[in-house]
């Protein structure tokens, strides 16, 4: 950009004044109106009242885009390219480009219709292999837009999450390595959120307005540096507040006045410099080796990488928000797999029954139900019917259900237990004796085993054994073929017991929640048997919900109980189905459930149902996706 002689002299005078004030910081100022400025490895970007201009290192204009762009954010990529995003304020359109060398590799734009954008920031999730943008608006509105998965860009950005933000949200920045979104609430506070799309919506306070904190003016811009420092720009008087990462916390470090400007509006972080721009178009650069752009991509775990599965079907959501659905079970119609059913507990009201289109067919209003499981082939009212069982928390009982040949579910026997806080449940059907049992557990660690008997017309239940773990259990699953019971102790890990009613009651903790591969709470459990049942040499695996990091882990069921795969279920952008998170119960079947699930399915409870934000539901993943993760021997 060409400058007049007067502007150059003014800039030089201010530069010398600032150099005299500090030997560590070099400040320059230019009187030409600039509304946003960024220096990147592919060149400089400046926005004026008429256009966004891209120049190379020699000042040669490479390209320009007409409009008023007051927010620019760049994200360097490992291949040397740079992602640039900007909001054109007159039209409220998002523009984005991928730039390399002197060329535009890809670009796009899309109208933002739900909010007026005040700021935007990139997030590149290495473990989920997703590239997204946060759009921060007024009146507490915010959105997260997906641009790419597995380095494959979508045809158009997809809104994947609505954010509940403070009313006066003004600016954002992201710590790419920790997956943390930082947000400024005007002059009131600084907050941190989880940047992952399926993460908890909770927030953590970083700083507040003086005299309780260090903030003394409205924060208009945020940047996060490679040195793990959050830089907050206060508008008037113009100054920078710096916060240094210490463990999981951010600690205030220093305040630095920007004496070259009376007020400030925006920041632009680049290698060794920080561009500061005022609302009127004045701009200055602060030179400091600490001002470095953070790397965008984390190295992948070498030991057990996080894989990605995608749902291809979801059930309709419950009509209310909050914690509702807990645990699924699946019933196969062997003659007509497309007519199979999914049963799910609604811990507020009863049991919902869905078809293989995700539509609700029945709702049995039996009360506050927690866990459910299912087995086949018991006599009931003179017919061969199938059985489901669920824990009823209102009166600490177990409710049995009969399922007829058409998939119709009806209530059957309900029996009381001596438990004081009944919780989890699973069924066991011994292949040797053909006896069917219910395991029901209590939050105090007690596990009761009941034998279910049939006289052809009715069912009855008899307690036959008691087990115990030190603290709260919930999820459990029985290996019918090998007479084993796997039980999740939520904060500790997974226990193995003999399942036979006459066996020793002593168990063994075989898998620990190590806060790395398996992260507490340990929730839903399911078994995956490869090959024909009962055939020697066919491996069996245990699938567990690692609720603490919204993932799932597949373990061997024999010593050393090695984890062979871990994965998340992320959104299916093509079908518009969001991923799953905070999973309680899950189920797995190798039986055909019809079209799209010919080899079976993984069925998980989704604790945060998004796209759009609504009540909880279940997500279904074709089993083949999971089978593809198992390493070949």
């Amino acid at each position: 950009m060409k400058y007049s002689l007067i502007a150059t002299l003014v800039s030089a005078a201010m530069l010398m004044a600032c150099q005299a004030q500090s030997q560590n910081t070099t400040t320059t100022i230019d009187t030409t109106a600039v509304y946003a400025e960024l220096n990147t490895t592919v060149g400089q970007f400046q926005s004026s009242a008429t256009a966004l201009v891209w120049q190379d290192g020699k000042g040669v204009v490479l390209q320009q885009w007409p409009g008023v762009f007051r927010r620019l954010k760049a994200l360097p990529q490992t291949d040397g390219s740079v992602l640039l995003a900007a909001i054109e304020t007159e039209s409220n359109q998002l523009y984005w480009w991928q730039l390399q060398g002197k060329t535009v590799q890809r670009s796009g734009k899309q109208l933002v219709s739900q909010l007026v954008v005040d700021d935007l920031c990139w997030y590149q999730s290495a473990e989920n292999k997703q590239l997204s943008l946060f759009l921060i608006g007024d009146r507490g509105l915010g959105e997260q837009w997906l641009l790419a998965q597995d380095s494959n860009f979508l045809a158009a950005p997809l809104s994947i999450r609505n954010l509940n933000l403070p009313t006066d949200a003004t600016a954002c920045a992201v710590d790419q390595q920790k997956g943390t979104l930082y947000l400024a609430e005007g002059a009131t506070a600084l907050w941190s959120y989880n940047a992952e799309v399926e993460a908890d919506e909770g927030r953590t306070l970083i700083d507040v307005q003086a005299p309780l904190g260090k903030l003394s003016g409205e924060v208009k811009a945020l940047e996060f540096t490679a040195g793990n420092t959050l830089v907050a720009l206060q508008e008037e008087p113009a100054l920078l507040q710096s916060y240094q990462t210490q463990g999981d916390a951010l600690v205030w470090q220093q305040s630095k006045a920007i004496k070259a400007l009376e007020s400030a509006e925006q920041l632009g972080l680049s290698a060794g410099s920080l561009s500061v721009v005022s609302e009127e178009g004045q701009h200055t650069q602060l030179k400091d080796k600490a001002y470095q752009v953070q790397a965008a991509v984390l190295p992948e775990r070498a030991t057990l990488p996080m894989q990605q599965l995608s749902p291809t079907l979801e059930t309709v959501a419950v009509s209310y928000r909050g914690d509702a659905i807990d645990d699924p079970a699946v019933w196969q119609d062997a003659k007509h797999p497309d007519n199979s059913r999914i049963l799910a507990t609604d811990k507020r009201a009863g049991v919902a029954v869905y078809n293989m289109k995700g539509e609700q067919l029945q709702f049995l209003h039996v009360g506050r139900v927690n866990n459910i499981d299912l087995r086949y082939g018991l006599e009931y009212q003179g017919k061969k019917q199938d059985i489901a069982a669920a824990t009823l928390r209102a009166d600490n009982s177990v409710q049995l259900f009969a399922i007829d040949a058409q998939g119709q579910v009806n209530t059957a026997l309900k029996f009381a237990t001596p438990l004081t806080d009944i919780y989890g449940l699973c069924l066991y059907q011994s292949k040797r004796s053909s006896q069917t049992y219910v395991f029901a557990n209590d939050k105090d660690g007690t596990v009761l085993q009941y034998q279910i008997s049939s006289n052809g017309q009715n069912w009855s239940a008899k307690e036959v054994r008691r087990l115990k773990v030190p603290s709260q259990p919930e999820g459990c699953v029985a290996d019918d073929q090998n007479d084993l019971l796997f039980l999740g102790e939520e904060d500790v890990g997974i226990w193995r017991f003999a399942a036979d009613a006459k066996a020793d009651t002593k168990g063994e903790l075989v898998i620990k929640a190590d806060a790395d591969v398996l992260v507490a709470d340990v929730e839903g459990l399911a078994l995956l048997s490869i090959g024909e049942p009962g055939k020697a040499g066919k491996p069996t695996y245990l699938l567990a919900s690692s609720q603490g990091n919204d993932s799932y882990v597949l373990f061997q069921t024999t010593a050393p109980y090695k984890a062979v795969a871990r994965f998340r279920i992320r959104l299916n952008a093509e079908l518009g189905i969001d991923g799953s998170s905070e999973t309680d119960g899950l189920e797995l079947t190798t039986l055909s459930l019809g079209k799209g699930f010919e080899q079976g399915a993984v069925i998980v409870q989704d604790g945060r149902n998004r796209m759009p934000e609504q009540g909880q539901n279940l997500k279904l993943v074709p089993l083949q996706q999971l089978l593809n993760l198992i390493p070949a021997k």
Side-chain angles (χ1 to χ4, degrees):
M1 184 174 285
K2 296 180 180 180
Y3 303 104
S4 68
L5 177 59
I6 295 175
T8 304
L9 291 174
V10 171
S11 298
M14 289 189 173
L15 172 61
M16 288 187 289
C18 292
Q19 286 176 329
Q21 294 169 2
S22 173
Q23 294 181 348
N24 297 323
T25 303
T26 301
T27 308
T28 60
I29 189 166
D30 188 350
T31 57
T32 305
V34 172
Y35 296 127
E37 182 177 61
L38 268 180
N39 291 307
T40 74
T41 55
V42 297
Q44 183 189 59
F45 297 86
Q46 283 190 335
S47 174
S48 68
T50 57
L52 172 62
V53 179
W54 177 23
Q55 305 172 88
D56 65 14
K58 297 180 180 179
V60 177
V61 174
L62 301 176
Q63 197 162 341
Q64 53 185 319
W65 297 271
V68 180
F69 298 85
R70 287 186 177 268
R71 293 289 181 178
L72 304 178
K73 292 293 178 74
L75 184 67
Q77 299 292 285
T78 55
D79 62 0
S81 66
V82 173
L83 293 168
L84 180 71
I87 284 290
E88 202 287 306
T89 57
E90 300 299 315
S91 63
N92 204 43
Q93 286 199 98
L94 170 69
Y95 285 70
W96 61 270
W97 305 267
Q98 186 176 26
L99 311 164
Q100 189 160 37
K102 297 182 178 181
T103 63
V104 177
Q105 291 185 302
R106 55 171 55 89
S107 64
K109 66 178 180 178
Q110 184 161 317
L111 176 68
V112 183
S113 58
Q114 300 300 315
L115 71 157
V116 176
V117 180
D118 288 329
D119 200 8
L120 68 163
C121 46
W122 290 100
Y123 175 48
Q124 189 156 2
S125 171
E127 284 200 335
N128 287 344
K129 299 180 176 62
Q130 293 177 321
L131 175 69
S132 60
L133 270 170
F134 289 99
L135 307 179
I136 306 302
D138 58 356
R139 302 189 308 278
L141 300 177
E143 292 187 40
Q144 186 174 5
W145 284 18
L146 182 71
L147 271 74
Q149 283 193 152
D150 301 320
S151 300
N152 297 317
F153 281 81
L154 308 182
L158 176 66
S159 180
I160 55 177
R161 176 162 61 140
N162 293 324
L163 302 170
N164 297 313
L165 304 177
T167 303
D168 193 22
T170 51
C172 65
V174 173
D175 180 347
Q176 304 291 337
Q177 296 190 13
K178 288 190 175 181
T180 302
L181 169 69
Y182 296 106
L183 188 84
E185 183 185 358
T188 305
L190 293 176
W191 300 93
S192 67
Y193 298 76
N194 197 314
E196 287 292 346
V197 62
E198 289 289 347
D200 186 359
E201 295 180 345
R203 60 182 181 174
T204 302
L205 183 64
I206 298 170
D207 198 3
V208 296
Q209 192 175 26
L212 299 178
K214 298 294 184 180
L215 299 181
S216 56
E218 184 172 11
V219 176
K220 302 296 289 186
L222 296 173
E223 287 286 358
F224 197 84
T225 74
N228 297 322
T229 298
L230 179 68
V231 180
L233 176 68
Q234 290 188 189
E235 181 180 24
E236 191 173 354
L239 62 84
L240 294 175
Q241 302 276 19
S242 297
Y243 302 82
Q244 180 67 42
T245 300
Q246 293 184 9
D248 292 330
L250 272 181
V251 178
W252 179 83
Q253 188 178 34
Q254 65 175 347
S255 295
K256 182 184 293 185
I258 306 172
K259 297 182 179 179
L261 298 175
E262 292 184 2
S263 64
E265 178 82 9
Q266 295 186 50
L267 292 175
L269 180 65
S270 58
S273 70
L274 193 66
S275 297
V276 187
V277 179
S278 73
E279 186 176 5
E280 295 77 19
Q282 292 181 315
H283 57 115
T284 184
Q285 283 195 351
L286 308 179
K287 302 290 186 180
D288 193 313
K289 62 182 181 180
Y291 296 139
Q292 301 289 335
V293 179
Q294 189 187 47
V297 181
L298 286 171
E300 192 175 69
R301 291 170 55 101
T303 53
L304 193 61
M306 185 70 76
Q307 308 276 10
Q308 307 296 329
L309 305 187
S310 295
T312 58
L313 180 70
E314 62 180 338
T315 61
V316 296
V318 296
S319 59
Y320 40 81
R321 300 290 293 273
D323 197 16
I325 291 182
D326 192 280
D327 190 39
V330 62
W331 175 83
Q332 186 214 31
D333 185 330
K335 293 182 179 180
H336 307 286
D338 287 303
N339 192 47
S340 299
R341 299 286 188 262
I342 303 164
L343 285 67
T345 60
D346 183 328
K347 61 183 71 174
R348 300 187 187 188
V351 173
V353 182
Y354 305 94
N355 63 16
M356 290 309 299
K357 295 179 182 179
E359 302 164 334
Q360 183 176 304
L361 301 180
Q362 286 183 263
F363 194 93
L364 294 95
H365 293 272
V366 295
R368 297 194 301 117
V369 187
N370 205 67
N371 281 32
I372 192 166
D373 202 4
L374 188 148
R375 288 296 188 273
Y376 295 88
L378 274 74
E379 287 277 336
Y380 183 70
Q381 295 185 350
K383 298 179 182 178
K384 206 77 169 178
Q385 297 198 34
D386 303 323
I387 183 173
T391 48
L392 279 170
R393 296 181 66 180
D395 58 6
N396 294 299
S397 64
V398 174
Q399 175 70 60
L400 303 184
F401 303 88
I403 307 171
D404 67 20
Q406 286 71 47
Q408 185 74 15
V409 181
N410 296 290
T411 56
L413 172 70
K414 175 182 172 181
F415 64 89
T417 76
L419 301 176
T420 58
D421 202 353
I422 199 168
Y423 209 40
L425 172 146
C426 57
L427 289 176
Y428 160 54
Q429 201 167 56
S430 171
K431 295 301 179 185
R432 291 183 296 103
S433 66
S434 297
Q435 292 291 333
T436 299
Y437 301 87
V438 173
F439 288 100
N441 60 57
D442 190 283
K443 286 188 175 183
D444 69 359
T446 302
V447 183
L448 302 183
Q449 183 174 0
Y450 289 89
Q451 181 176 327
I452 305 300
S453 300
S454 171
N455 61 6
Q457 290 297 316
N458 298 292
W459 289 328
S460 62
K462 176 185 177 182
E463 182 185 331
V464 294
R465 195 166 64 134
R466 293 193 176 202
L467 310 173
K468 183 75 173 178
V469 292
S471 65
Q472 179 174 314
E474 183 179 5
C476 63
V477 63
D479 182 344
D480 296 350
Q481 194 67 44
N482 298 300
D483 301 305
L484 295 172
L485 171 70
F486 292 94
L487 175 69
E489 186 182 4
E490 289 194 355
D491 294 334
V492 179
I494 301 171
W495 290 77
R496 191 189 76 166
F497 292 86
D500 188 82
K502 297 179 181 180
D504 190 352
T505 59
K506 184 179 180 180
E508 179 186 5
L509 181 64
V510 294
I511 299 168
K512 292 183 179 180
D514 59 2
D516 182 17
V517 173
L518 182 62
V519 183
D521 287 351
V522 179
E523 291 286 342
L525 299 177
L527 286 170
L528 170 62
S529 297
I530 307 295
E532 297 178 22
K535 209 164 194 179
K538 297 298 181 181
T540 301
Y541 299 96
L542 177 66
L543 180 64
S545 167
S546 178
Q547 192 183 71
N549 66 344
D550 298 324
S551 70
Y552 311 87
V553 189
L554 194 66
F555 295 95
Q556 296 172 338
T557 55
T558 56
Y561 303 97
K562 179 182 177 182
V564 298
R566 66 177 193 145
F567 61 92
R568 289 194 174 110
I569 297 176
R570 69 179 183 189
L571 67 90
N572 187 321
E574 182 179 353
L575 296 179
I577 302 174
D578 70 303
S580 64
S581 56
E582 204 178 26
T583 293
D584 287 325
L586 55 77
E587 183 58 285
L588 184 155
T589 182
T590 58
L591 301 175
S592 173
L593 301 181
K595 186 176 180 181
F597 300 96
E598 290 84 358
Q599 291 182 275
V602 178
I603 306 170
V604 302
Q605 178 258 8
D606 182 13
R608 305 183 189 100
N609 186 23
R610 291 176 170 145
M611 297 174 59
E613 300 280 341
Q614 53 186 343
Q616 294 178 341
N617 68 352
L618 301 174
K619 301 295 193 292
L620 279 76
V621 178
L623 183 64
Q624 185 59 50
Q625 291 189 30
L626 176 58
L627 297 177
N628 291 341
L629 302 186
I630 301 175
K633 291 189 176 180

